[in-house]
Amino acid sequence: MFDAIVVGARCAGAPTALLLARAGYRVLLLDRAPIGTDTLSTHLIHQPGVAALARWGLLDAVRASGCPPLDQVTYEVADVRLHGCARGVEGQRAAFAPRRHVLDSLLMSAAAAAGAEVRDRCRVTGLLRDAHGRVVGVEGTHDGRAFSERARLVIGADGMRSTVARLAQAPFTVRNPRLTCAYYTYWEGVAASLELYERPGSWVAAVATHDDATLVLAYFPQSLFPQVRTDAQHAYREQIRITAPTLHERLGRARPVERLRGTGDQQNFFRRATGPGWVLVGDAGHHKDSITARGISDAFLQVESLVRHIDGPLGAGRAELDAALGKFAEERDATLHPGYESTLGVAHLAAHEQRLSLLRAVGSDPELTSIYFDMVAGIETAKALYTPRLLALL
């Protein structure tokens, strides 16, 4: 019997298994995909997530993988151009955007090195329950063979379309309509750090990643998805042309190195985080539009919060564990709701004159620009920006 079974071994599940194993718990980590596979992701890790990697002793491995630090940010909208760097958190001023097949493999390897048992190619098909309905394990198939395992706690870290959430019948507690669809690919020969471009109805980003490649993303209103998908390649190039003309010119001298990928299913929700014998972490419990790229950093912070709350209670009685899980749920919602609301605001793809006036003032001062990029990274809220220095410029 395991102390915890973690379903989903990517950027929420693998660090959960890692931290629990380091704390001395017996952990089983399951994933349906083979180790080392890629997944649909914008894969930008803002500074709070980078700081988490540093706390876990894994940031040096990310650097050693050849992933460049993103220590300069450019943001253009209308006549506004901001350029600079966030003040950062815990000494981490740069973001990183490691490819997911690199990051997820690194996290899974660290979990295994800490003592977690890792099984890929596992498909969970059911939750085991005791006579009182409490979840006490999982069942499914591993390489086509049926299996079942028991644990004190089942942790669903299996993404937006979570099987654990479905089987546990975890209800949505907050749900908003989809706001954007997005397409992206990787380009060779496009020098960049982190570039963001905005206009009404459009958002474009360029992000440096492994192998001297640059991830270039284009966002559209969700209402246009049926039209965009009929000729996604043309729509992608045209959205970049009208939103980021200078970037479009650079792409004309470069070449894409992978196929175009995209999605029209960027859901926005909170699910109930926990129930008897189960808990959700990462996108399984909370998902929002990828336009602010908060998913990985938020997942890392959820992981640390969950492990902090259940370390101790996981080895105690059920009542103590359930109380700890309830506290985790409360903290998750309180911590992530402001970023959820701000992401929805960005995903409406509207550039209001009031915000442009604010950005013009911010752009005139390097310190305010750094505070603004802290907001982009999720380090600060808008309240931090309203300093006497800004008020004097408005």
Side-chain angles (χ1 to χ4, degrees):
M1 179 168 171
F2 293 92
D3 294 306
I5 296 174
V6 184
V7 181
R10 293 192 180 270
C11 61
T16 301
L18 165 67
L19 297 186
L20 286 175
R22 284 180 176 175
Y25 295 101
R26 188 169 181 234
V27 183
L28 175 61
L29 179 61
L30 307 176
D31 201 89
R32 64 182 180 182
I35 293 174
T37 54
D38 209 354
T39 189
L40 192 73
S41 176
T42 54
H43 60 82
L44 175 62
I45 308 177
H46 288 296
Q47 289 84 343
V50 174
L53 288 169
R55 289 191 294 273
W56 304 339
L58 300 179
L59 181 56
D60 286 346
V62 172
R63 292 179 182 274
S65 73
C67 187
L70 308 176
D71 53 9
Q72 293 294 312
V73 186
T74 300
Y75 172 42
E76 295 184 8
V77 53
D79 62 338
V80 178
R81 184 179 189 273
L82 305 183
H83 181 78
C85 180
R87 296 177 302 178
V89 59
E90 297 179 18
Q92 305 300 332
R93 299 194 69 187
F96 287 83
R99 292 292 301 266
R100 288 295 299 274
H101 65 271
V102 176
L103 175 66
D104 296 348
S105 295
L106 187 155
L107 292 169
M108 280 187 266
S109 295
E117 181 177 336
V118 180
R119 299 181 195 169
D120 61 352
R121 300 180 177 86
C122 281
R123 182 170 175 262
V124 171
T125 57
L127 299 177
L128 304 179
R129 298 178 185 269
D130 65 14
H132 304 287
R134 185 181 187 87
V135 172
V136 294
V138 302
E139 61 184 1
T141 57
H142 180 210
D143 280 337
R145 297 182 178 181
F147 79 95
S148 65
E149 297 287 359
R150 292 180 171 267
R152 293 184 175 89
L153 181 65
V154 172
I155 301 172
D158 49 342
M160 182 179 74
R161 302 177 187 87
S162 171
T163 296
V164 173
R166 174 176 57 81
L167 294 172
Q169 298 182 317
F172 293 104
T173 56
V174 175
R175 199 173 191 184
N176 292 89
R178 297 169 181 84
L179 295 173
T180 76
C181 58
Y183 282 84
Y184 70 87
T185 191
Y186 298 88
W187 293 79
E188 186 179 76
V190 183
S193 180
L194 174 58
E195 301 174 11
L196 307 171
Y197 304 89
E198 181 184 0
R199 68 184 294 275
S202 177
W203 182 279
V204 168
V207 189
T209 185
H210 285 103
D211 303 319
D212 295 320
T214 298
L215 166 66
V216 180
L217 308 103
Y219 286 80
F220 308 79
Q222 177 68 23
S223 60
L224 296 182
F225 182 55
Q227 174 184 336
V228 169
R229 70 188 304 187
T230 60
D231 190 350
Q233 189 68 243
H234 172 77
Y236 170 77
R237 294 297 295 267
E238 185 65 9
Q239 193 79 325
I240 297 169
R241 185 188 69 79
I242 63 175
T243 308
T246 57
L247 174 61
H248 184 263
E249 290 179 10
R250 288 150 61 197
L251 295 183
R253 300 186 295 271
R255 69 181 187 92
V257 292
E258 294 189 17
R259 66 179 177 85
L260 188 67
R261 303 178 186 183
T263 179
D265 189 24
Q266 300 216 88
Q267 299 179 37
N268 299 295
F269 64 76
F270 285 82
R271 287 188 176 108
R272 192 173 80 186
T274 185
W278 61 268
V279 66
L280 304 176
V281 68
D283 287 351
H286 164 60
H287 189 275
K288 54 186 171 289
D289 197 291
S290 68
I291 197 165
T292 54
R294 298 279 185 86
I296 296 177
S297 297
D298 283 356
F300 287 176
L301 298 183
Q302 286 183 63
V303 166
E304 290 190 323
S305 173
L306 175 62
V307 174
R308 183 175 68 253
H309 281 95
I310 66 174
D311 186 13
L314 184 56
R318 290 180 172 182
E320 189 174 348
L321 176 58
D322 290 349
L325 292 171
K327 291 177 182 177
F328 159 72
E330 292 174 3
E331 183 172 288
R332 182 203 71 171
D333 292 353
T335 300
L336 297 182
H337 191 77
Y340 180 75
E341 290 296 333
S342 64
T343 294
L344 296 184
V346 175
H348 276 99
L349 300 177
H352 301 294
E353 183 57 38
Q354 183 178 7
R355 184 163 69 89
L356 291 175
S357 297
L358 173 68
L359 290 171
R360 291 183 189 108
V362 168
S364 69
D365 187 283
E367 181 180 338
L368 293 174
T369 297
S370 289
I371 297 173
Y372 184 81
F373 287 139
D374 278 348
M375 289 171 51
V376 171
I379 299 167
E380 295 284 4
T381 65
K383 183 179 179 180
L385 192 61
Y386 284 86
T387 64
R389 187 187 299 247
L390 176 65
L391 295 175
L393 292 170
L394 292 175

